[in-house]
Amino acid sequence: AAVFQLGSADMILVILGGVFLALCLFAALHDINSLTIPNWLNLTLAGLFVPAAAFSGLPMEIIFGHVLVGLATFVIAFGLFAFRVFGGGDAKMIPAVMLWVGPTASLEFIFSMALVGGLCAIVIVLVRNTVPAVVLPGPIRAPFEENAGIPYGIAIAAGAFMASPASPILSQTLSSAGLIG
């Protein structure tokens, strides 16, 4: 009920932040199913930051910090992609998420993403070594095929959710929606 008492700028920010988080979840599910994160999805994640920043009411220095950390992450992620550490979709999704989490939540995002990514890799390797992929349901089978990659979109999305309360823009979204105090 508190959401309906918000001003229009707050309501728009709640919607944009909600769409961002929903798309992160969709990216994770898509990555599990196909081991890919589509370009349109990463562009949408990054593009939604522009109106969110405009409606956030945050000072330009803070928004500029978000943009800088997003650009720096893009350069690093591109390097990791070039050395085949990350897939192309992962290397694009990470900077898109970093735009949203910004410098204040970046370490929490990176730590959470790495932790969930490591756990995900361990689970996938254990399942690959004990369960034949053919017996797994089709929508989740791809990561368990022999020599398949790890769907890192799961870790990126988890990191986005875990870092949200520490992000200036996402914490406003969660607070306005009544999800955090």
Side-chain angles (χ1 to χ4, degrees), residues 78-163:
F78 182 79
L80 292 171
F81 167 71
F83 287 104
R84 299 178 185 241
V85 174
F86 285 130
D90 304 328
K92 293 173 211 156
M93 186 176 173
I94 294 168
V97 170
M98 285 291 272
L99 265 175
W100 281 82
V101 300
T104 59
S106 61
L107 288 178
E108 188 165 346
F109 168 68
I110 291 167
F111 178 78
S112 300
M113 178 181 65
L115 183 65
V116 171
L119 291 172
C120 189
I122 289 169
V123 167
I124 288 172
V125 169
L126 288 174
V127 171
R128 278 184 195 161
N129 290 330
T130 57
V131 179
V134 295
V135 302
L136 297 170
I140 64 162
R141 185 177 302 144
F144 301 101
E145 297 286 343
E146 195 168 326
N147 298 320
I150 301 295
Y152 214 71
I154 298 167
I156 300 166
F161 277 88
M162 292 173 175

Side-chain angles (χ1 to χ4, degrees), residues 7 12 15-16 19 21 24 34 40 62 66 71 87 104 113 137:
I12 292 169
I15 292 168
L16 292 169
V19 170
L21 291 170
C24 284
S34 66
W40 69 263
I62 292 177
H66 281 251
L71 289 172
T104 59
M113 178 181 65

Side-chain angles (χ1 to χ4, degrees), residues 171 174-175 178-181:
S171 66
L174 296 171
S175 165
L179 298 174
I180 61 172

